[in-house]
Amino acid sequence: MNTRFAALCLAVLGGAGSLLAPSASHAGNVGYYGDNCYNVDPSSIITAAGHTPVAVATLDAPSLAGLQALFINGCTFATNAAVDTAVGNGMVLIWHDPNWGGQSSKSLPGGQSVPYTSYGGNTVQIDFPAGSPVTNGPGGAIGNTSLDGGNSSNHGYVASASLPAGSQVLATQDVATNVTTFAYNTGAGRVVFSTIPLTCYFSGGPCQENVAAPGMQAYAKNVIAWAVTGGVSTTCASEGYTGTKLEWCKNICERGYTGSTLAMWIRRWTDRYRTLPYCAVETQPALR
């Protein structure tokens, strides 16, 4: 094995390991804003997620300054230029939209517009795709039955084919392509968008006695914690790889192979594509 190839193996090994390492947790200021249509106070949920709640009265630059995230507590929110700029500069927007206005499309930061199909599919079921990062966290472990049985566990879906490029699917209806929660990076920040009427299930809300309420509250804590301190993961799929390239990328970056097996897949990749998969590009040291 030549020196350059050996260095490449080490770089990829380091990159693959970093994909599995947990993100460091840092407390931040999480603002909450909205029409409070469900008459709840989300501050205890934000605190339980490990962050400091900050009430926000106006969506302007001074009010958003210093926030690591903005949690929407309402039914009629619409993004504006100040929010879009704050997200582009590094803020996280967490928006669970019950869509009471019935809009068929939602405008999101980064110039994204996604179609919102109201009350489509099974509205009392929420599933989590394999590897969803919000099934564990400060709210505890949740699974495919934790959010089921709500008055409406979700108010619709966004088709997976219509998600912004690079999106990470966090939750779906019982149909895997009917996405109920997803996240994407834009600029230096990120957006989490969902069709779940989440705050209805908070303490004091009209859904607080529902069977899904404990799971919804646990999910809320996990989503906030992940969105603020972790965020969207780069994957072979989010990089747009398909077919053989997708499978080979997973073998190098995501399946935990080591030693000669990893080296074999690296050599196949470099021989065919004359480039590096994303995990090697992100971590590769200067080679001489």
Side-chain angles (χ1 to χ4, degrees):
M1 182 182 294
N2 63 40
T3 301
R4 183 179 179 85
F5 185 61
L8 174 59
C9 286
L10 291 174
V12 175
L13 282 166
S18 69
L19 289 174
L20 302 176
S23 300
S25 178
H26 302 285
N29 293 326
V30 176
Y32 56 95
Y33 168 87
D35 58 17
N36 195 13
C37 57
Y38 292 123
N39 297 312
V40 300
D41 180 354
S43 59
S44 63
I45 294 288
I46 294 170
T47 299
H51 301 290
T52 301
V54 178
V56 175
T58 306
L59 294 180
D60 56 19
S63 301
L64 299 175
L67 296 181
Q68 279 64 58
L70 178 66
F71 179 87
I72 301 305
N73 178 29
C75 295
T76 58
F77 169 77
T79 189
N80 66 13
V83 173
D84 291 358
T85 298
V87 171
N89 290 335
M91 189 182 77
V92 179
L93 175 65
I94 304 170
W95 180 13
H96 287 72
D97 179 19
N99 200 38
W100 288 115
Q103 299 96 330
S104 61
S105 181
K106 296 293 176 177
S107 296
L108 303 176
Q112 301 293 336
S113 181
V114 296
Y116 190 128
T117 301
S118 297
Y119 294 97
N122 187 344
T123 63
V124 298
Q125 186 166 340
I126 301 288
D127 288 346
F128 297 98
S132 174
V134 300
T135 56
N136 282 282
I142 55 176
N144 284 351
T145 61
S146 300
L147 277 60
D148 293 353
N151 295 358
S152 286
S153 293
N154 63 85
H155 281 184
Y157 67 91
V158 176
S160 59
S162 300
L163 298 179
S167 290
Q168 185 168 4
V169 175
L170 307 180
T172 69
Q173 292 183 339
D174 54 330
V175 178
T177 55
N178 293 352
V179 178
T180 57
T181 308
F182 66 91
Y184 66 94
N185 292 331
T186 179
R190 65 183 65 94
V191 175
V192 177
F193 181 83
S194 181
T195 64
I196 298 171
L198 183 61
T199 55
C200 182
Y201 296 90
F202 285 8
S203 178
C207 306
Q208 67 175 339
E209 301 297 332
N210 187 271
V211 65
M216 290 288 184
Q217 293 177 32
Y219 158 87
K221 297 167 191 174
N222 292 353
V223 167
I224 294 170
W226 170 82
V228 179
T229 61
V232 179
S233 302
T234 301
T235 66
C236 295
S238 73
E239 286 294 285
Y241 300 151
T242 59
T244 298
K245 199 169 190 180
L246 174 62
E247 289 304 306
W248 287 14
C249 175
K250 288 181 178 179
N251 288 341
I252 295 170
C253 300
E254 298 172 6
R255 287 182 171 142
Y257 295 149
T258 60
S260 60
T261 301
L262 177 59
M264 175 192 70
W265 286 112
I266 294 170
R267 186 179 294 279
R268 287 189 182 183
W269 179 283
T270 55
D271 285 349
R272 173 173 291 196
Y273 300 116
R274 304 297 178 183
T275 184
L276 299 171
Y278 78 89
C279 61
V281 171
E282 291 173 353
T283 60
Q284 183 189 10
L287 300 177
R288 292 179 174 87

